[in-house]
Amino acid sequence: MSVLPDGRLETKLIDLKPMYTDGEAIAEANRCLYCQDAPCIAACPTGIDIPTFIRKIGTENVRGSARTILSANILGYSCARVCPVEVLCAGACVYNAWHRTPIAIGRLQRYATEKVWASNGTAALLPKAPANGKKIACVGSGPASLACAGYLALEGCSVTVYEKREVAGGLNSTGVAPYKMHVQGALAEVDFIRSLGVDIRTGIDVGKALAPEQLLKDHDAVFLGCGLGTDSLLDIPGAHGAGVTGAVAWIERMKLEPRFALAGVTHAVVIGGGNTAIDAARELARLGVPDVALLYRRTEADMSGYKHELHHAREEGVRLIERATPESFVRDGGALKAIRLADSREFPCQLAVLAIGQGSMASLAASFPGVKTDAKGRVEAEEGSGRTANPKLWVGGDATGGELVVTAVQDGKRAARSIARALGIPERAEAPMKAGAV
């Protein structure tokens, strides 16, 4: 596992949902009603058999529980920690209809997977086929690529993941709010994928250091999971200079960069209404910034961010400013002093974090022969499989418009099944990627 430097800001943010003790996990598992036609399964994008993995925790068969989870979702650990379970599996729990607390599915899933990892119990956890001689490349090391790579490695393929950063894991490593998961958790999952036989090579920028045509020539199939591009910025006076930054770039520095600090920041604004904006605002508040304002151009009802996350942000001291359209940033000798809105309201700030979207990786995708992108830069692909117009290239995750880690994992799993069929790899009844097929 990569060794991260000390002094990173993310280490100051504690885990808001710590791992259960054995007793806590068994007690919570025994609350599950083991529903027939369980609605929680239908609400899980990867189709995990949730009642079964919970029942196994209740009978102290934690290894069997982890096997059930990881067969359907090979990145079940990170999904347990970052999934918005409130609007997915736990949100569908029958207890909600009775106005009772739903089963803590995410925390139980984390317990099973982390417990097995901690005991070095992943060896032979998932059945692996003999080597079949097929070579696969995955571009990017985010959840979609890691899932595709892991499942195909279990089918006997030789899989190489190419990541341009020095740290693998994609947004799980660089963009997840630390109070949900620190970088080290994401890297532990990367190591799990490596343990399945996947070769993960960092510091290789496909399109520059490695030509797409060569990648296609050297491999039987290529999966493109390159994610999104850089933060979108505002084109208004004062926007270019110290104190104004994109949210994804700010979160990455906060998680990875030693000695990155918030010295002198007493007022901060976050601009946007999505989940990234709310995460950034909560992080700033939890890091001790006295005044954090979330500025959104419409009303709360129009925000795309989850309501429960906004509720928690308010509990932590974040203010929501509605109908806030930035007009300019006010500077004094280059230093950021305030943001002025179109309606003449002005808010003091020494830091402004912009969470108004990200650019696409359309240029990289388009560099692969035969690939087409739409007006938003998303790669056009066959629904359900991710296969592009180039018969050797599949795609998934943010590159096709996905938004969640769990949906990216499902994209990777579906692509792995499609690649295996296209390459004539025999189907196995016990193949993990057949589990939770939805």
Side-chain angles (χ1 to χ4, degrees):
M1 184 186 298
S2 299
V3 177
L4 298 170
D6 295 328
R8 295 173 295 111
L9 273 180
E10 80 151 12
T11 61
K12 297 183 179 181
L13 295 172
I14 63 170
D15 188 347
L16 292 187
K17 296 180 180 179
M19 183 176 169
Y20 276 146
T21 64
D22 294 347
E24 288 171 334
I26 291 171
E28 183 65 14
N30 285 332
R31 291 181 58 231
C32 180
L33 301 176
Y34 205 79
C35 302
Q36 185 177 9
D37 298 325
C40 55
I41 298 177
C44 174
T46 56
I48 296 173
D49 187 345
I50 294 167
T52 294
F53 96 68
I54 292 177
R55 175 67 60 87
K56 289 178 178 178
I57 291 175
T59 60
E60 301 186 52
N61 179 11
V62 180
R63 183 176 172 83
S65 177
R67 182 182 294 111
T68 298
I69 295 163
L70 296 172
S71 292
N73 182 339
I74 207 162
L75 268 63
Y77 170 73
S78 61
C79 287
R81 303 196 63 175
V82 308
C83 265
V85 294
E86 295 86 350
V87 297
L88 295 173
C89 54
C93 179
V94 296
Y95 275 126
N96 290 293
W98 303 333
H99 305 289
R100 295 174 62 185
T101 303
I103 302 298
I105 298 170
R107 295 188 72 178
L108 288 171
Q109 185 168 310
R110 174 186 175 180
Y111 170 82
T113 52
E114 189 167 330
K115 183 88 171 175
V116 169
W117 285 0
S119 64
N120 295 316
T122 57
L125 184 67
L126 300 175
K128 187 171 183 177
N132 56 34
K134 302 298 184 182
K135 294 178 62 179
I136 315 296
C138 294
V139 180
S141 65
S145 280
L146 291 179
C148 184
Y151 282 119
L152 286 172
L154 289 171
E155 293 308 298
C157 298
S158 173
V159 188
T160 304
V161 172
Y162 297 94
E163 167 58 53
K164 68 178 181 180
R165 287 184 172 88
E166 294 300 330
V167 174
L171 284 179
N172 271 0
S173 293
T174 64
V176 168
Y179 50 80
K180 297 177 182 176
M181 182 173 67
H182 281 194
V183 179
Q184 211 65 49
L187 296 181
E189 191 165 56
V190 169
D191 282 346
F192 167 63
I193 297 299
R194 278 196 177 100
S195 75
L196 304 178
V198 177
D199 180 12
I200 300 177
R201 302 181 185 179
T202 58
I204 298 178
D205 193 344
V206 172
K208 294 181 179 179
L210 184 59
E213 293 85 355
Q214 190 65 43
L215 205 64
L216 289 165
K217 179 181 178 181
D218 293 342
H219 297 84
D220 298 293
V222 175
F223 178 81
L224 188 61
C226 54
L228 294 175
T230 57
D231 292 291
S232 298
L233 302 177
L234 290 171
D235 187 18
I236 60 175
H240 303 287
V244 179
T245 180
V248 174
W250 183 83
I251 294 171
E252 181 172 344
R253 292 188 69 189
M254 182 264 295
K255 290 174 71 69
L256 296 178
E257 187 177 317
R259 295 177 296 281
F260 179 58
L262 290 169
V265 177
T266 58
H267 297 76
V269 297
V270 178
I271 301 169
N275 291 310
T276 300
I278 297 173
D279 276 348
R282 291 186 69 186
E283 288 158 0
L284 286 165
R286 295 184 69 82
L287 285 168
V289 176
D291 179 59
V292 180
L294 181 60
L295 277 54
Y296 182 56
R297 60 195 175 102
R298 296 193 178 99
T299 67
E300 179 179 340
D302 300 310
M303 293 177 68
S304 60
Y306 295 124
K307 303 306 178 187
H308 66 274
E309 295 282 8
L310 180 59
H311 172 73
H312 292 315
R314 280 181 162 137
E315 288 182 326
E316 293 160 0
V318 175
R319 297 183 295 142
L320 174 63
I321 310 299
E322 299 175 292
R323 296 185 174 89
T325 302
E327 181 182 75
S328 64
F329 289 100
V330 180
R331 294 185 178 276
D332 181 7
L336 182 64
K337 294 297 181 182
I339 183 170
R340 183 177 293 122
L341 305 184
D343 58 9
S344 298
R345 286 182 290 173
E346 192 168 293
F347 294 89
C349 61
Q350 296 83 37
L351 175 65
V353 179
L354 310 184
I356 56 175
Q358 290 175 259
S360 75
M361 295 293 286
S363 59
L364 173 59
S367 67
F368 284 85
V371 173
K372 300 177 181 178
T373 57
D374 63 18
K376 294 184 178 180
R378 295 174 298 197
V379 180
E380 296 181 1
E382 181 180 87
E383 187 175 355
S385 72
R387 196 172 193 178
T388 71
N390 185 318
K392 291 186 70 174
L393 185 70
W394 281 255
V395 67
D398 286 334
T400 54
E403 295 181 354
L404 301 176
V405 172
V406 68
T407 53
V409 171
Q410 184 65 359
D411 283 352
K413 183 168 70 173
R414 285 173 171 165
R417 289 201 298 260
S418 177
I419 290 170
R421 287 194 297 267
L423 299 183
I425 298 171
E427 286 194 14
R428 298 183 295 147
E430 75 279 20
M433 67 182 178
K434 293 185 69 176
V438 293

